[in-house]
Amino acid sequence: MPKDENIEITSETIDVLNNRRSIRAFSDTAVTDAHIDAILGAAVRAPTSSNLQAYSVVVVRDAARKARLAELAGNQKHVITCPVFVAFCADLSRIEVALQRYGHDLEDNNLEMGLVSSIDAALVGMSAYVAADSLGIQGVMIGAMRNDPEAVAELLDLPPRAYVVFGMCLGFPDGNAPKQKPRMPRPGIVHLETYDHTASKAGIDVYNDQLRAHYETIGKETNTDSWTYEVDSKFAARPRNTLRAALKRLGLDFS
Ligand SMILES: Cc1cc2nc3c(=O)[nH]c(=O)nc-3n(C[C@H](O)[C@H](O)[C@H](O)COP(=O)(O)O)c2cc1C
């Protein structure tokens, strides 16, 4: 039922998901190659559209490379301080190899191929995130890899027809877990049989109040319209307006 309380059933996985929050500060505890092998070994079991496996994952530990990625992500310091940074890429390069064997190619590939590969990358990324969390390794996803996708692709030496959909800072948390950010009221998001338009819209003002209260608790500056105002300030100006052209140059056509 789409209500926020009275959840009667749980499991270890549900507990991991219910306790999840983005972590941006890490301890000195090493994340070993064995950890990463276990995390990514499980993550690649994620479902993948038509078994295309149209993604690749690049694991970055090198300090200089992380520093450059941090710069490209708008100087996000957790990209430097995390022990491991993982880039989740949509990657159509192997799909093109398959097609070429039969005299075809991916010239003029369409929106569907871009979406399929980006969804694949997201599913593997989230699976990795949950697998990591189950080992006590947490972190934050970094969409700012799309600020300058061509520079990121060059830095990671990606093949044509690949781009980093998002990155992920991973590490053992420093112990000062941030308070969980509230979510929209469930009846506005989870619908029974058909979409409840009233509940969806009603949730917005309830959520503005909840997010404002959350920000006040953690001492973050906010206003009455916390969520709507934040969304407008970030998205009214059409961020990453050149992304479609950049992805096209990288060989993925989202037009
Ligand atoms: C695809 C994606 C990209 C994100 N990019 C960034 C980012 O560049 N920098 C950052 O600090 N957080 C980033 N985040 C984290 C979100 O800000 C965070 O998930 C959201 O505010 C909710 O907070 P919570 O994860 O703690 O619940 C990203 C999350 C997702 C799913």
mmCIF file of all heavy atoms in Angstrom, residues 179-204:
data_model
loop_
_atom_site.group_PDB
_atom_site.id
_atom_site.type_symbol
_atom_site.label_atom_id
_atom_site.label_comp_id
_atom_site.label_asym_id
_atom_site.label_seq_id
_atom_site.Cartn_x
_atom_site.Cartn_y
_atom_site.Cartn_z
ATOM 1 N N LYS A 179 22.303 12.833 8.194
ATOM 2 C CA LYS A 179 20.903 12.465 8.416
ATOM 3 C C LYS A 179 20.284 12.104 7.059
ATOM 4 O O LYS A 179 20.616 12.742 6.052
ATOM 5 C CB LYS A 179 20.192 13.706 8.996
ATOM 6 C CG LYS A 179 19.218 13.397 10.090
ATOM 7 C CD LYS A 179 18.714 14.713 10.689
ATOM 8 C CE LYS A 179 17.388 14.606 11.377
ATOM 9 N NZ LYS A 179 16.320 13.899 10.774
ATOM 10 N N GLN A 180 19.413 11.140 7.053
ATOM 11 C CA GLN A 180 18.772 10.758 5.782
ATOM 12 C C GLN A 180 17.889 11.877 5.263
ATOM 13 O O GLN A 180 17.152 12.496 6.023
ATOM 14 C CB GLN A 180 17.898 9.517 5.986
ATOM 15 C CG GLN A 180 18.535 8.258 5.490
ATOM 16 C CD GLN A 180 17.543 7.110 5.447
ATOM 17 O OE1 GLN A 180 16.597 7.058 6.212
ATOM 18 N NE2 GLN A 180 17.775 6.176 4.560
ATOM 19 N N LYS A 181 17.973 12.103 3.959
ATOM 20 C CA LYS A 181 17.125 13.109 3.317
ATOM 21 C C LYS A 181 15.728 12.520 3.132
ATOM 22 O O LYS A 181 15.613 11.385 2.647
ATOM 23 C CB LYS A 181 17.741 13.448 1.954
ATOM 24 C CG LYS A 181 17.365 14.812 1.414
ATOM 25 C CD LYS A 181 18.032 15.023 0.058
ATOM 26 C CE LYS A 181 19.325 15.806 0.173
ATOM 27 N NZ LYS A 181 19.867 16.179 -1.149
ATOM 28 N N PRO A 182 14.680 13.246 3.526
ATOM 29 C CA PRO A 182 13.339 12.655 3.369
ATOM 30 C C PRO A 182 12.977 12.485 1.900
ATOM 31 O O PRO A 182 13.575 13.105 1.027
ATOM 32 C CB PRO A 182 12.416 13.687 4.037
ATOM 33 C CG PRO A 182 13.183 14.957 4.041
ATOM 34 C CD PRO A 182 14.642 14.612 4.052
ATOM 35 N N ARG A 183 11.999 11.633 1.654
ATOM 36 C CA ARG A 183 11.482 11.428 0.308
ATOM 37 C C ARG A 183 10.048 11.949 0.241
ATOM 38 O O ARG A 183 9.385 12.123 1.248
ATOM 39 C CB ARG A 183 11.496 9.942 -0.056
ATOM 40 C CG ARG A 183 12.909 9.391 -0.247
ATOM 41 C CD ARG A 183 13.613 10.066 -1.416
ATOM 42 N NE ARG A 183 14.840 9.385 -1.811
ATOM 43 C CZ ARG A 183 16.070 9.786 -1.506
ATOM 44 N NH1 ARG A 183 16.263 10.883 -0.791
ATOM 45 N NH2 ARG A 183 17.118 9.104 -1.919
ATOM 46 N N MET A 184 9.591 12.193 -0.963
ATOM 47 C CA MET A 184 8.205 12.628 -1.179
ATOM 48 C C MET A 184 7.243 11.648 -0.516
ATOM 49 O O MET A 184 7.547 10.455 -0.460
ATOM 50 C CB MET A 184 7.895 12.620 -2.667
ATOM 51 C CG MET A 184 8.697 13.596 -3.434
ATOM 52 S SD MET A 184 7.581 14.751 -4.208
ATOM 53 C CE MET A 184 8.761 15.878 -4.906
ATOM 54 N N PRO A 185 6.072 12.113 -0.066
ATOM 55 C CA PRO A 185 5.081 11.200 0.517
ATOM 56 C C PRO A 185 4.731 10.096 -0.480
ATOM 57 O O PRO A 185 4.529 10.359 -1.664
ATOM 58 C CB PRO A 185 3.861 12.100 0.775
ATOM 59 C CG PRO A 185 4.383 13.483 0.764
ATOM 60 C CD PRO A 185 5.612 13.501 -0.092
ATOM 61 N N ARG A 186 4.714 8.877 0.021
ATOM 62 C CA ARG A 186 4.565 7.743 -0.893
ATOM 63 C C ARG A 186 3.279 7.769 -1.718
ATOM 64 O O ARG A 186 3.302 7.398 -2.896
ATOM 65 C CB ARG A 186 4.696 6.424 -0.134
ATOM 66 C CG ARG A 186 4.997 5.271 -1.074
ATOM 67 C CD ARG A 186 5.586 4.080 -0.367
ATOM 68 N NE ARG A 186 6.630 4.458 0.549
ATOM 69 C CZ ARG A 186 6.685 4.071 1.813
ATOM 70 N NH1 ARG A 186 5.774 3.300 2.311
ATOM 71 N NH2 ARG A 186 7.682 4.456 2.574
ATOM 72 N N PRO A 187 2.120 8.186 -1.170
ATOM 73 C CA PRO A 187 0.911 8.164 -2.008
ATOM 74 C C PRO A 187 1.014 9.055 -3.246
ATOM 75 O O PRO A 187 0.287 8.860 -4.214
ATOM 76 C CB PRO A 187 -0.193 8.676 -1.071
ATOM 77 C CG PRO A 187 0.335 8.436 0.302
ATOM 78 C CD PRO A 187 1.825 8.603 0.204
ATOM 79 N N GLY A 188 1.935 10.026 -3.212
ATOM 80 C CA GLY A 188 2.110 10.888 -4.377
ATOM 81 C C GLY A 188 3.021 10.263 -5.421
ATOM 82 O O GLY A 188 3.128 10.736 -6.559
ATOM 83 N N ILE A 189 3.697 9.195 -5.046
ATOM 84 C CA ILE A 189 4.704 8.598 -5.929
ATOM 85 C C ILE A 189 4.327 7.181 -6.344
ATOM 86 O O ILE A 189 4.544 6.780 -7.486
ATOM 87 C CB ILE A 189 6.069 8.577 -5.193
ATOM 88 C CG1 ILE A 189 6.595 9.988 -5.073
ATOM 89 C CG2 ILE A 189 7.059 7.688 -5.907
ATOM 90 C CD1 ILE A 189 7.958 10.079 -4.479
ATOM 91 N N VAL A 190 3.772 6.428 -5.409
ATOM 92 C CA VAL A 190 3.381 5.049 -5.698
ATOM 93 C C VAL A 190 1.870 5.021 -5.859
ATOM 94 O O VAL A 190 1.138 5.418 -4.955
ATOM 95 C CB VAL A 190 3.804 4.103 -4.554
ATOM 96 C CG1 VAL A 190 3.381 2.675 -4.869
ATOM 97 C CG2 VAL A 190 5.307 4.190 -4.323
ATOM 98 N N HIS A 191 1.402 4.583 -7.016
ATOM 99 C CA HIS A 191 -0.023 4.646 -7.345
ATOM 100 C C HIS A 191 -0.591 3.236 -7.470
ATOM 101 O O HIS A 191 0.117 2.306 -7.873
ATOM 102 C CB HIS A 191 -0.221 5.419 -8.652
ATOM 103 C CG HIS A 191 0.424 6.779 -8.624
ATOM 104 N ND1 HIS A 191 -0.189 7.889 -8.110
ATOM 105 C CD2 HIS A 191 1.671 7.183 -9.000
ATOM 106 C CE1 HIS A 191 0.630 8.930 -8.196
ATOM 107 N NE2 HIS A 191 1.768 8.524 -8.729
ATOM 108 N N LEU A 192 -1.852 3.096 -7.120
ATOM 109 C CA LEU A 192 -2.496 1.786 -7.182
ATOM 110 C C LEU A 192 -3.381 1.708 -8.420
ATOM 111 O O LEU A 192 -4.350 2.444 -8.527
ATOM 112 C CB LEU A 192 -3.345 1.558 -5.931
ATOM 113 C CG LEU A 192 -2.545 1.438 -4.625
ATOM 114 C CD1 LEU A 192 -3.482 1.216 -3.451
ATOM 115 C CD2 LEU A 192 -1.526 0.313 -4.712
ATOM 116 N N GLU A 193 -3.013 0.860 -9.308
ATOM 117 C CA GLU A 193 -3.763 0.597 -10.549
ATOM 118 C C GLU A 193 -3.703 1.742 -11.552
ATOM 119 O O GLU A 193 -3.380 1.535 -12.707
ATOM 120 C CB GLU A 193 -5.246 0.248 -10.270
ATOM 121 C CG GLU A 193 -5.432 -0.910 -9.302
ATOM 122 C CD GLU A 193 -4.966 -2.254 -9.863
ATOM 123 O OE1 GLU A 193 -4.769 -2.359 -11.072
ATOM 124 O OE2 GLU A 193 -4.787 -3.188 -9.067
ATOM 125 N N THR A 194 -4.073 2.939 -11.134
ATOM 126 C CA THR A 194 -3.957 4.085 -12.038
ATOM 127 C C THR A 194 -3.348 5.250 -11.258
ATOM 128 O O THR A 194 -3.366 5.269 -10.031
ATOM 129 C CB THR A 194 -5.327 4.537 -12.592
ATOM 130 O OG1 THR A 194 -6.167 4.827 -11.485
ATOM 131 C CG2 THR A 194 -5.955 3.478 -13.486
ATOM 132 N N TYR A 195 -2.846 6.197 -11.995
ATOM 133 C CA TYR A 195 -2.094 7.319 -11.433
ATOM 134 C C TYR A 195 -3.026 8.242 -10.650
ATOM 135 O O TYR A 195 -4.081 8.653 -11.148
ATOM 136 C CB TYR A 195 -1.454 8.064 -12.601
ATOM 137 C CG TYR A 195 -0.400 9.073 -12.227
ATOM 138 C CD1 TYR A 195 0.948 8.761 -12.299
ATOM 139 C CD2 TYR A 195 -0.762 10.350 -11.829
ATOM 140 C CE1 TYR A 195 1.915 9.702 -11.976
ATOM 141 C CE2 TYR A 195 0.204 11.290 -11.509
ATOM 142 C CZ TYR A 195 1.537 10.958 -11.585
ATOM 143 O OH TYR A 195 2.488 11.885 -11.266
ATOM 144 N N ASP A 196 -2.638 8.553 -9.434
ATOM 145 C CA ASP A 196 -3.439 9.455 -8.595
ATOM 146 C C ASP A 196 -2.882 10.879 -8.763
ATOM 147 O O ASP A 196 -1.935 11.277 -8.079
ATOM 148 C CB ASP A 196 -3.355 8.999 -7.132
ATOM 149 C CG ASP A 196 -4.258 9.831 -6.226
ATOM 150 O OD1 ASP A 196 -4.618 10.967 -6.608
ATOM 151 O OD2 ASP A 196 -4.580 9.336 -5.134
ATOM 152 N N HIS A 197 -3.468 11.629 -9.695
ATOM 153 C CA HIS A 197 -2.959 12.964 -10.039
ATOM 154 C C HIS A 197 -3.045 13.915 -8.851
ATOM 155 O O HIS A 197 -2.165 14.742 -8.642
ATOM 156 C CB HIS A 197 -3.752 13.533 -11.229
ATOM 157 C CG HIS A 197 -3.599 12.718 -12.465
ATOM 158 N ND1 HIS A 197 -2.831 13.112 -13.536
ATOM 159 C CD2 HIS A 197 -4.091 11.511 -12.811
ATOM 160 C CE1 HIS A 197 -2.859 12.174 -14.487
ATOM 161 N NE2 HIS A 197 -3.623 11.200 -14.060
ATOM 162 N N THR A 198 -4.110 13.795 -8.047
ATOM 163 C CA THR A 198 -4.274 14.691 -6.899
ATOM 164 C C THR A 198 -3.172 14.429 -5.868
ATOM 165 O O THR A 198 -2.529 15.351 -5.377
ATOM 166 C CB THR A 198 -5.667 14.463 -6.252
ATOM 167 O OG1 THR A 198 -6.639 14.540 -7.281
ATOM 168 C CG2 THR A 198 -5.953 15.492 -5.192
ATOM 169 N N ALA A 199 -2.953 13.145 -5.563
ATOM 170 C CA ALA A 199 -1.939 12.799 -4.558
ATOM 171 C C ALA A 199 -0.558 13.234 -5.024
ATOM 172 O O ALA A 199 0.270 13.717 -4.237
ATOM 173 C CB ALA A 199 -1.962 11.311 -4.283
ATOM 174 N N SER A 200 -0.303 13.077 -6.330
ATOM 175 C CA SER A 200 1.008 13.448 -6.862
ATOM 176 C C SER A 200 1.271 14.931 -6.632
ATOM 177 O O SER A 200 2.341 15.323 -6.141
ATOM 178 C CB SER A 200 1.065 13.124 -8.350
ATOM 179 O OG SER A 200 2.253 13.606 -8.899
ATOM 180 N N LYS A 201 0.300 15.769 -6.964
ATOM 181 C CA LYS A 201 0.495 17.220 -6.815
ATOM 182 C C LYS A 201 0.478 17.615 -5.341
ATOM 183 O O LYS A 201 1.240 18.475 -4.894
ATOM 184 C CB LYS A 201 -0.587 17.974 -7.586
ATOM 185 C CG LYS A 201 -0.442 17.762 -9.090
ATOM 186 C CD LYS A 201 -0.817 18.997 -9.900
ATOM 187 C CE LYS A 201 -0.463 18.818 -11.359
ATOM 188 N NZ LYS A 201 -1.056 17.622 -11.986
ATOM 189 N N ALA A 202 -0.410 16.954 -4.545
ATOM 190 C CA ALA A 202 -0.515 17.300 -3.122
ATOM 191 C C ALA A 202 0.794 17.012 -2.394
ATOM 192 O O ALA A 202 1.151 17.690 -1.427
ATOM 193 C CB ALA A 202 -1.659 16.515 -2.487
ATOM 194 N N GLY A 203 1.515 16.000 -2.875
ATOM 195 C CA GLY A 203 2.768 15.629 -2.216
ATOM 196 C C GLY A 203 3.819 16.720 -2.280
ATOM 197 O O GLY A 203 4.711 16.790 -1.427
ATOM 198 N N ILE A 204 3.716 17.590 -3.257
ATOM 199 C CA ILE A 204 4.777 18.573 -3.472
ATOM 200 C C ILE A 204 4.887 19.546 -2.300
ATOM 201 O O ILE A 204 5.974 19.789 -1.772
ATOM 202 C CB ILE A 204 4.559 19.327 -4.807
ATOM 203 C CG1 ILE A 204 4.715 18.355 -5.983
ATOM 204 C CG2 ILE A 204 5.534 20.493 -4.930
ATOM 205 C CD1 ILE A 204 4.387 18.956 -7.332
#
